[in-house]
Amino acid sequence: METVKVGITETIRVLLEEKKFNTLRDILVTLKPYDIATIFEELQDEKTPLLFRILPKELAAETFVEMDDETQKLLIHGFSDTELKEVVDELFIDDVVDLVEEMPANVVKRILKQADKDTRKTVNELLKYPEDSAGSIMTTEYIVLRPEMTAEQSIKRIRRTGVDKETIYICYVTDDNSKLIGITSVKDLLLSDDDVIVSEIMEENVICVNTLDDQEKVAQMFSNYNFLALPVVDTENRLVGIVTIDDAIDVLQEEATEDIEKMAAVMPSDKPYMKTSVFGIYKKRIPWLLVLMLSATFTSAIISHFESALASVIVLSSFIPMITGTGGNAGSQASVSVIRALSLGEIKFCNAVKVLWKEFRVSILCGVTLAAANFIKLMIFDLNGKENALFIGLVVSLTLIGTIIMAKLIGSFLPMVAHKIGVDPAVMASPLITTICDALSLLIYFGIATTILHI
C-alpha cells in the first residue's frame, strides 16, 4: 500500500511540473481526503497551494482537515483572502476551532477575519471551554427537533437544514428552553407514519455529558455505548453541542500517545516524531532523565552503606543487577496492568484492597517460581564449590521473593493513588516504579544477607 502511495505522489509531482492540471484533478478526485492529505504532506513545496486549488470545494475542505499543522500553515500562507474564506466556510465549526488552536497568532487573525460574524462568535464561545473538556471538542452543528413535530415535518427539516450539519443520523429533541428531552434517529423517523409525533418515538433516557467533563471520559463513552454522537449539555441541561465519533477517535489516539510517552518518561509532545526537531526531542526527554538520575543516587547510597558487607562476601555484588532488574520488571508489569484498568474504568481507588490482594497472590506465585528456578541455577552453575554456597543461594532466592512482592504491590498501588489525587497514573509507570523498586530491593537484599550470613 505504501508503495502505491509513493507511486501516486511521484506521478502527481511530475504532472504538476508539466502543468497537466486536468489530469491531476481526475486523479485526485478518485482518492480519499486522508490519502490526498498524505500526498500534500509528502510534497511540501511552493506548488502545494496550486495543487490545492485544483480540488473541488468540498473535497478541498475535507482534505484540509486531514492535514498536519505544518501543511495547513503552508497552504494558508499561500491562500488569498478569498480562497481562505472559501475553505473556512466549508469547514465544520469544531474543525475551525481546532485550526485556530493550532495556528500561530498571525494566521489565526487571518482565519477569523475571513470567517462570518456567526462563525467568529461560535468559535470564541467554544474556545472559552477548558482544554481537554467536552466543550472544547464539541460541534454546534446538529439537527434539533421539537417534541410536537410530526415525522413528516421532521424529515422536511432534516432535508432543509441537514446539508450544513456534521451528522444527521441522530436528531436531538429539545423543549422551548433548549433543554434536552430526548433523541431519535432518521431510521425511526423514516419507518414511522407521517402523522406520528416525535414525542411518541423519541428515546427519553438520554445519555449525555457536561461541557466541563474530561474529554478522555467522553471518548471512552463512545466505546462503552457504541455511540456515533454524544450530546453535550450545560449545567441547566440545555443542549449546547455534540461530540462526534471522529473527534472521539482523535481524543483516544492523543490520550494513548500521551500515556505511552509518560510511561516511557518522556514529556508529551503534540508534534509527530519526524516533524519534531532534535532540540525539541531533547527538551521532552531531559527533565525526566535528570529526575530519574538524581533519584538513582539513593541506590548508590545504599550500596555504599553496605560496602563492608559486599567486601566480605564479594559474590553478593554479582547478583545485584539480576535482583534490581527483576524487581523493576515485576513492578512495571503490575503498574501497566493497573494503569490500563484505570483508564478503561475497570477499577477505582475503592478497589485498592482487592487489587493489592490479587497482586500479592500473583507475586507469591511469581516469586516462588523465580526463586526456585534461580536457586537451582545458582547451585549448579554460579555457586558450585564456593564457600557458603547454600546460604548465599538462599539469600538471593529469598530476596527475589521479597523483591517481587514489594515491586508488584508498589506497582499496583502508586497508580491508584495518583489517579485518586488527580495525577495522570501513567506518570507512575515503568521508569519511576523501576527506580523506587531498585532502591527497596537493595534494602531487602542486604537486610536478608546480613541476617543469614551475619556480615
Side-chain angles (χ1 to χ4, degrees):
M1 185 64 183
E2 290 298 324
T3 305
V4 175
K5 285 185 179 179
V6 171
I8 293 176
T9 303
E10 291 305 315
T11 300
I12 288 176
R13 195 191 303 275
V14 171
L15 291 173
L16 192 57
E17 291 175 356
E18 296 177 355
K19 298 182 180 180
K20 295 183 178 180
F21 301 125
N22 289 333
T23 305
L24 277 170
R25 181 186 175 93
D26 291 341
I27 293 174
L28 292 174
V29 296
T30 64
L31 303 177
K32 298 294 183 183
Y34 175 82
D35 294 325
I36 301 175
T38 301
I39 292 171
F40 273 75
E41 291 165 12
E42 290 173 354
L43 290 175
Q44 287 281 3
D45 59 28
E46 68 279 357
K47 295 181 181 180
T48 305
L50 176 61
L51 184 62
F52 188 82
R53 295 185 183 104
I54 297 172
L55 298 174
K57 187 182 299 184
E58 186 175 342
L59 180 59
E62 292 175 356
T63 300
F64 188 83
V65 172
E66 299 292 342
M67 296 176 182
D68 61 25
D69 300 342
E70 294 300 320
T71 308
Q72 289 179 339
K73 195 185 305 182
L74 177 66
L75 283 174
I76 290 173
H77 282 305
F79 285 163
S80 65
D81 288 345
T82 303
E83 289 171 328
L84 181 57
K85 178 174 173 54
E86 288 178 354
V87 172
V88 172
D89 288 344
E90 287 294 322
L91 296 179
F92 291 116
I93 196 68
D94 57 330
D95 293 326
V96 178
V97 173
D98 290 340
L99 184 61
V100 168
E101 287 180 326
E102 299 297 334
M103 292 295 114
N106 61 323
V107 176
V108 170
K109 188 175 180 180
R110 280 194 68 199
I111 293 170
L112 293 180
K113 183 180 179 181
Q114 300 308 318
D116 58 61
K117 182 178 178 181
D118 290 338
T119 299
R120 284 198 300 271
K121 180 182 177 182
T122 304
V123 168
N124 288 326
E125 288 176 352
L126 293 177
L127 288 173
K128 291 178 182 178
Y129 291 108
E131 186 180 4
D132 298 336
S133 68
S136 68
I137 60 171
M138 71 181 184
T139 181
T140 56
E141 295 163 321
Y142 49 88
I143 297 291
V144 176
L145 303 176
R146 292 284 185 255
E148 67 275 6
M149 295 175 64
T150 64
E152 183 179 16
Q153 292 171 332
S154 299
I155 294 298
K156 287 181 179 179
R157 171 175 285 194
I158 294 170
R159 287 173 179 161
R160 187 174 65 253
T161 63
V163 66
D164 297 322
K165 308 304 180 186
E166 187 154 351
T167 180
I168 64 171
Y169 181 73
I170 301 296
C171 305
Y172 302 90
V173 186
T174 62
D175 61 16
D176 295 336
N177 296 317
S178 297
K179 290 187 176 181
L180 182 64
I181 59 175
I183 61 171
T184 188
S185 67
V186 172
K187 176 182 177 181
D188 292 335
L189 294 171
L190 288 173
L191 297 179
S192 300
D193 294 333
D194 290 345
D195 57 351
V196 172
I197 60 175
V198 170
S199 60
E200 294 179 1
I201 59 175
M202 71 181 188
E203 172 62 50
E204 296 182 14
N205 184 24
V206 183
I207 296 175
C208 58
V209 295
N210 187 273
T211 53
L212 300 180
D213 285 345
D214 185 81
Q215 65 173 14
E216 188 172 7
K217 170 191 170 184
V218 174
Q220 189 59 50
M221 291 178 70
F222 280 83
S223 174
N224 295 340
Y225 299 104
N226 296 321
F227 286 143
L228 295 176
L230 187 60
V232 183
V233 299
D234 61 15
T235 54
E236 297 181 4
N237 200 46
R238 289 178 300 197
L239 182 64
V240 292
I242 63 170
V243 177
T244 52
I245 183 66
D246 58 320
D247 293 317
I249 291 173
D250 290 340
V251 169
L252 290 174
Q253 180 177 332
E254 291 169 7
E255 295 291 345
T257 302
E258 183 178 306
D259 285 348
I260 290 170
E261 289 175 330
K262 286 181 178 178
M263 291 169 72
V266 178
M267 300 292 286
S269 174
D270 56 358
K271 287 185 177 181
Y273 177 82
M274 293 303 293
K275 294 187 179 295
T276 305
S277 66
V278 171
F279 188 69
I281 294 175
Y282 160 78
K283 288 193 299 181
K284 297 296 181 183
R285 295 181 181 179
I286 197 62
W288 264 110
L289 288 176
L290 287 171
V291 170
L292 294 173
M293 181 190 71
L294 293 174
S295 62
T297 57
F298 292 109
T299 304
S300 301
I302 293 170
I303 294 176
S304 298
H305 180 74
F306 291 98
E307 188 174 359
S308 58
L310 287 172
S312 60
V313 186
I314 297 176
V315 73
L316 289 176
S317 61
S318 63
F319 302 117
I320 290 177
M322 181 269 293
I323 291 171
T324 56
T326 302
N329 293 336
S332 296
Q333 284 182 334
S335 66
V336 169
S337 298
V338 170
I339 289 169
R340 184 58 178 162
L342 285 168
S343 67
L344 295 176
E346 295 174 353
I347 60 174
K348 298 179 180 177
F349 187 77
C350 60
N351 305 124
V353 174
K354 290 183 178 180
V355 172
L356 291 174
W357 173 235
K358 176 172 285 189
E359 288 296 332
F360 176 75
R361 287 176 291 170
V362 171
S363 66
I364 291 290
L365 294 174
C366 292
V368 170
T369 302
L370 291 179
N374 183 69
F375 187 80
I376 295 171
K377 172 182 173 293
L378 291 176
M379 293 299 98
I380 296 176
F381 299 105
D382 302 327
L383 300 175
N384 188 17
K386 293 188 178 180
E387 186 180 356
N388 292 326
L390 181 64
F391 291 106
I392 293 173
L394 186 62
V395 167
V396 176
S397 299
L398 289 176
T399 299
L400 276 176
I401 295 175
T403 295
I404 291 172
I405 293 174
M406 172 273 300
K408 287 196 176 293
L409 292 180
I410 290 177
S412 57
F413 186 63
L414 285 184
M416 288 190 288
V417 172
H419 188 264
K420 178 66 176 179
I421 64 177
V423 177
D424 192 336
V427 175
M428 299 293 180
S430 301
L432 186 58
I433 294 291
T434 299
T435 303
I436 295 172
C437 290
D438 284 351
L440 294 179
S441 62
L442 287 176
L443 290 175
I444 294 172
Y445 186 32
F446 291 121
I448 294 175
T450 52
T451 300
I452 294 179
L453 299 176
H454 305 291
I455 54 177

